[in-house]
Amino acid sequence: MAVTIKSAREIDLMREAGRLLEKVHNELGQAIKPGMSTLEIDRLGEKLIRGYGCIPNFLNYNGYPASICVSVNDEVVHGIPRADRILQEGDIVSLDAGLIYKGYHSDAARTYGVGKISPEAQKLIDETRNSFFEGIKMAKDGNHLYDISNAIDAYISKFGYGIVRDLVGHGIGTQLHEDPQIPNFAQRRRGLKLRAGMTLAVEPMINMGRCDVAWLDDDWTVVSDDGSLSAHYENTILITDGEPEILTLS
Ligand code: MF3
Ligand code: CO
């Protein structure tokens, strides 16, 4: 599938999809506390998304059984919410959420500390977020796609963290996952040329230890193979002639 360039009308719809998703994330972030189950987070997220008149795009996506991916500690992404998975003080939790507004998708992820967390865990969260911003400095018309990948890798590698290779960012629009795929690690080629009107979900997934991941028996939950903590940070962005517009962060 070719990479789509969104029209002015489509960009307005993507902006609204992003604006509403940011609100959902902010409300979820404030709700996180020790003692909460990961299922409660999903229930609240779905209620918020539907309350804005939108559809949770993750629900039933390739059979995924929930609206929000809730991934705790060594879980990288796609954790399935459960009533018996209770957040504990000191945990870190990644919330990945998305919605459809008038046919247009948004997708964003944040990692939070639950109560007081270790300085090492906080640093992993902060540097994962920082790597997103390093990457998108390169995200402008005329640059190449893998300039983003290379910038994320160059930044993160300084810390000795493992950049997850088995999962990547993606184009987004009338579908949750569109071309192109966006790796978070260095590429030998420069990749396709970025053009104003492309909308992309850039989403570094970073392990404190090695980059290798494994899948749990539920066929969804991705964990770090060495059991180390993992963080995720994602926004939906719009490529322009200048600075990218971050649609899921104001
Ligand atoms: N942000 C996630 C991604 O881009 C979306 C979760 S897919 C789902 O892969 F199937 F878990 F919903
Ligand atoms: Co995504």
Side-chain angles (χ1 to χ4, degrees):
M1 191 186 85
V3 178
T4 57
I5 304 288
K6 273 70 179 180
S7 67
R9 180 192 133 267
E10 291 182 294
I11 289 169
D12 279 340
L13 295 172
M14 293 289 296
R15 280 201 186 101
E16 187 61 9
R19 190 182 73 85
L20 294 172
L21 183 57
E22 179 181 16
K23 286 156 74 87
V24 170
H25 260 298
N26 290 345
E27 292 177 75
L28 289 176
Q30 281 168 11
I32 296 290
K33 45 182 79 65
M36 193 175 194
S37 76
T38 58
L39 186 64
E40 282 175 80
I41 296 169
D42 176 64
R43 289 287 149 81
L44 175 59
E46 178 168 357
K47 198 176 90 179
L48 291 165
I49 290 168
R50 294 198 191 280
Y52 289 127
C54 298
I55 299 166
N57 47 5
F58 296 0
L59 186 62
N60 300 320
Y61 183 87
N62 292 336
Y64 185 75
S67 297
I68 314 291
C69 298
V70 187
S71 307
V72 184
N73 293 337
D74 63 318
E75 296 171 357
V76 179
V77 287
H78 303 167
I80 299 178
R82 286 179 8 207
D84 63 353
R85 186 74 199 257
I86 308 296
L87 297 179
Q88 316 278 350
E89 174 106 16
D91 285 344
I92 67 170
V93 61
S94 300
L95 306 186
D96 192 349
L99 58 79
I100 309 171
Y101 172 78
K102 294 188 179 169
Y104 285 81
H105 291 249
S106 54
D107 184 5
R110 310 277 184 257
T111 300
Y112 297 104
V114 180
K116 194 172 157 48
I117 63 171
S118 72
E120 294 78 19
Q122 188 62 53
K123 182 174 167 65
L124 175 71
I125 293 172
D126 293 343
E127 299 303 0
T128 299
R129 184 175 188 279
N130 290 342
S131 75
F132 165 87
F133 288 99
E134 286 299 313
I136 69 159
K137 280 182 189 166
M138 308 306 290
K140 64 157 79 100
D141 187 288
N143 278 1
H144 289 254
L145 181 67
Y146 298 151
D147 297 344
I148 301 173
S149 311
N150 295 343
I152 293 172
D153 189 318
Y155 182 79
I156 278 295
S157 296
K158 294 184 298 203
F159 306 104
Y161 295 150
I163 301 171
V164 173
R165 294 169 165 261
D166 292 23
L167 299 139
V168 295
H170 50 93
I172 182 169
T174 56
Q175 299 178 69
L176 173 58
H177 292 140
E178 298 186 355
D179 280 345
Q181 296 198 356
I182 311 172
N184 297 300
F185 54 96
Q187 306 292 306
R188 278 185 298 111
R189 299 173 193 279
R190 293 190 76 195
L192 61 87
K193 203 177 262 193
L194 297 171
R195 287 297 175 212
M198 289 180 178
T199 46
L200 307 174
V202 176
E203 51 178 318
M205 290 154 267
I206 309 296
N207 296 342
M208 194 179 276
R210 295 186 50 85
C211 65
D212 310 75
V213 297
W215 270 258
L216 296 186
D217 286 339
D218 64 19
D219 278 343
W220 277 105
T221 312
V222 181
V223 296
S224 65
D225 199 44
D226 63 5
S228 64
L229 294 179
S230 188
H232 186 198
Y233 188 80
E234 173 180 30
N235 284 301
T236 298
I237 69 168
L238 168 69
I239 303 297
T240 75
D241 292 323
E243 299 282 293
E245 196 176 314
I246 308 180
L247 303 182
T248 48
L249 188 70
S250 50

